[in-house]
Amino acid sequence: QVQLVESGGGLVQPGGSLRLSCAASGMTFSILDMGWYRQAPGKQRELVARITSSKITNYADSVKGRFAISRENAKNTVYLHLNSLKPEDTAVYYCSARPTWGGSVSWGQGTQVTVSS
């Protein structure tokens, strides 16, 4: 089981930026596929961005060109850079991890992002 701790959420105005971090422990980080999901009130959890162990990335259409996912294996950390934020980006953002060969998914506790003027 992988332990995940997110940080970096907060309140930001529309058009602003944030950087979320997710620190992982309990398994060799470099063999993990990492992801960021979000869940807004009354909605299902949805994929935001994913980065594989070989650093292949993919994004939800709603965030393409605005968000960027990256990983720093030396620090066991994955980042989500959120730019040009919109009110509809308001949600709890969750970090996920799964070994690249499959198996169970581990989740962090989530970090709140609120975009409001």
Side-chain angles (χ1 to χ4, degrees), residues 69-91:
I69 189 170
S70 63
R71 65 189 296 158
E72 190 169 358
N73 288 350
K75 294 187 176 182
N76 295 344
T77 301
V78 62
Y79 303 99
L80 185 67
H81 305 262
L82 297 76
N83 301 306
S84 302
L85 282 160
K86 305 175 181 180
E88 52 264 44
D89 295 317
T90 295

Side-chain angles (χ1 to χ4, degrees), residues 10-110:
L11 173 64
V12 62
Q13 291 187 341
S17 298
L18 281 175
R19 188 184 76 165
L20 306 183
S21 300
C22 173
S25 60
M27 190 174 288
T28 302
F29 185 74
S30 60
I31 57 89
L32 296 171
D33 291 343
M34 304 296 295
W36 285 97
Y37 289 73
R38 67 186 180 187
Q39 188 166 18
K43 294 189 176 181
Q44 288 188 329
R45 190 174 297 190
E46 62 176 1
L47 174 69
V48 176
R50 193 161 42 203
I51 184 167
T52 68
S53 59
S54 54
K55 299 188 177 180
I56 297 170
T57 60
N58 66 289
Y59 296 91
D61 288 343
S62 59
V63 306
K64 279 181 182 176
R66 299 189 298 121
F67 291 9
I69 189 170
S70 63
R71 65 189 296 158
E72 190 169 358
N73 288 350
K75 294 187 176 182
N76 295 344
T77 301
V78 62
Y79 303 99
L80 185 67
H81 305 262
L82 297 76
N83 301 306
S84 302
L85 282 160
K86 305 175 181 180
E88 52 264 44
D89 295 317
T90 295
V92 178
Y93 284 70
Y94 296 92
C95 178
S96 72
R98 190 180 75 168
T100 195
W101 58 82
S104 60
V105 178
S106 300
W107 295 94
Q109 82 287 353

